[in-house]
Amino acid sequence: MRALRLLVPFCLLMFPGLSIAVEPVADQALDLTTSWIGLACLVMFVVAYVLVVLEEWSGMRKSIPVLMAAGFIWTLIGVAYTLAGQPHAAGELVRHSLLEYGELLLFLLVAMTYVNTLQERGVFDALRGWLVSRGFSLRVVFWVTGGLAFLMSPLADNMTTALVLSSVALAVGGEQSRFVVVACINIVVAANAGGAFSPFGDITTLMVWQKGLLGAGEFMALLVPALVNWLVPAAIMSFAVPNGRPEAVGEVVQVKRGGYIIILMFVVTVAVTVTMHTAFHLPPALGMMGGLGLLKLYGWYLNWSALRRQGQPISFVSHDEMMSDHTEPHAPNTFREVARAEWDTLLFFYGIIVCVGGLGALGYLAAGSELIYEGLGAMTANVLVGVASAIIDNIPVMYAVLSMNPAMSDGHWLLVTLTAGVGGSLLSIGSAAGVAVMGQAHGRYTFFAHLRWSWAIALGYIASIAMHLWINKSLF
């Protein structure tokens, strides 16, 4: 019967005359899963997501189809509720999605601005230069880059981490494609695993944390399972690393003025954000925006002091001159770093959150929760979420789970956080880190090169789940 309920909309596609009219019911949520409106919205979402998946081939930015789908879906929902005699209900429903997106947007915007500023200051280039100039053996580079990816991704996003460290693998590996492939896979797996035990290490963990389902400290229970998720495939792939010690590359990069202080400011911003959320239950975005103000103040100081050294009278310097790129090469422009945020990604998140919120308003998420979580059980469902995230982006998958809000213990919420975070490593297209590295190591690290090692990554996936069930059994 549960499966039949989900099949009804597809039958209506073939026989529109069977559509069920919306009955006016005041101040109640409507079940539109078997109406033509619900069907049309579902089809629109599927079409939009297919276009997202085809982004690499079509050249259409992934934010475009989901933005259009979001507007289309909620327009039809508004029509349905108006016809049902509840003209204000759709507006109230969509505001919940907008609030969730607003908090996510502000948090990510600050994090991206800090990462962009650290890139501009040369911090990541300096790290890469130090690694390639050490003359490490290929085996040492394999383990060092993987370990750094695991440690960096809880603070820096996994895509930036993977890009920085894969550039090291490319520089050291040279023409040794066998090494480049396993090193890139190792970095992608480690970057995805490292973000799983931090509330701000991945978008999925951030959404769970902001939802209030788990405290910041509770994510640390996933440290050992996440480590196992990386170490198992890394140990297997290490046997494929060729012997050899390439010559050191003479690349020395100096960190620009203020770079190390900005690292400290980023750490302080995160610490204050966690404290404010834990102690006072304030939205994490509030603490991060305060940190953005601190970063801008420090950027202003660096520009101000640069102008002073040039002998220019500060009282006669305009705002545009103060923030221009030409004041001094060692002075950052924090406004430019805000503009350099991944706006296509941020707008994509908007489209996904609003679209999935619309599917929830239509009744599909409740039906899916009944079918998956009540039918299969939380354990099986949460394991399958990770597998699904290797094919479908983990953002809509996790947001759908959060919108379903199944009754689960902390252990199960940690489990779905783990699986959604690391499941994308099963395929190269399953995470932003994998897609980014494919572009950087074009022709060597490919979808099929990654697929040849998916069995080893799957063993790590299974082992991490088993480890979580064992060491955190008291949380279930």
Side-chain angles (χ1 to χ4, degrees), residues 132-334:
V132 300
S133 65
R134 296 298 97 183
F136 292 136
S137 68
L138 293 179
R139 193 172 299 275
V140 171
V141 172
F142 174 86
W143 283 107
V144 168
T145 52
L148 285 175
F150 186 83
L151 295 174
M152 285 174 58
S153 58
L155 278 180
D157 65 277
N158 58 358
M159 184 175 71
T160 299
T161 298
L163 285 174
V164 170
L165 294 171
S166 61
S167 67
V168 175
L170 289 167
V172 173
E175 299 301 320
Q176 301 194 56
S177 294
R178 188 172 64 162
F179 167 77
V180 170
V181 168
V182 292
C184 287
I185 296 173
N186 184 46
I187 290 167
V188 169
V189 173
N192 289 333
F197 65 90
S198 166
F200 27 79
D202 189 79
I203 306 301
T204 54
T205 58
L206 176 60
M207 289 194 297
V208 173
W209 182 44
Q210 289 197 149
K211 193 81 171 179
L213 295 168
L214 295 170
E218 293 182 86
F219 288 95
M220 287 301 296
L222 295 177
L223 173 58
V224 175
L227 188 61
V228 168
N229 180 269
W230 164 55
L231 287 178
V232 169
I236 295 172
M237 290 188 295
S238 66
F239 291 101
V241 176
N243 295 321
R245 184 185 296 271
E247 293 184 9
V249 179
E251 182 178 354
V252 179
V253 179
Q254 295 293 330
V255 175
K256 296 179 183 177
R257 179 174 171 237
Y260 294 115
I261 294 178
I262 293 173
I263 295 176
L264 178 61
M265 289 167 56
F266 191 20
V267 173
V268 170
T269 295
V270 169
V272 171
T273 298
V274 172
T275 301
M276 289 174 62
H277 183 64
T278 303
F280 311 121
H281 305 287
L282 294 172
L286 194 63
M288 292 297 286
M289 289 301 289
L292 178 61
L294 181 63
L295 176 63
K296 287 185 169 295
L297 176 63
Y298 186 61
W300 172 85
Y301 165 74
L302 291 177
N303 281 277
W304 178 83
S305 59
L307 292 172
R308 286 294 298 268
R309 285 198 302 273
Q310 294 173 7
Q312 298 187 32
I314 302 303
S315 57
F316 295 99
V317 176
S318 69
H319 177 273
D320 291 338
E321 290 174 325
M322 180 69 77
M323 292 303 163
S324 71
D325 295 336
H326 307 293
T327 54
E328 184 182 303
H330 299 294
N333 184 335
T334 52

Side-chain angles (χ1 to χ4, degrees), residues 63 98 100 131 143 167 177 181 197 217 235 257 335 375 418 475:
S63 60
L98 292 176
E100 291 187 33
L131 287 171
W143 283 107
S167 67
S177 294
V181 168
F197 65 90
R257 179 174 171 237
F335 286 92
L418 174 69
L475 300 176

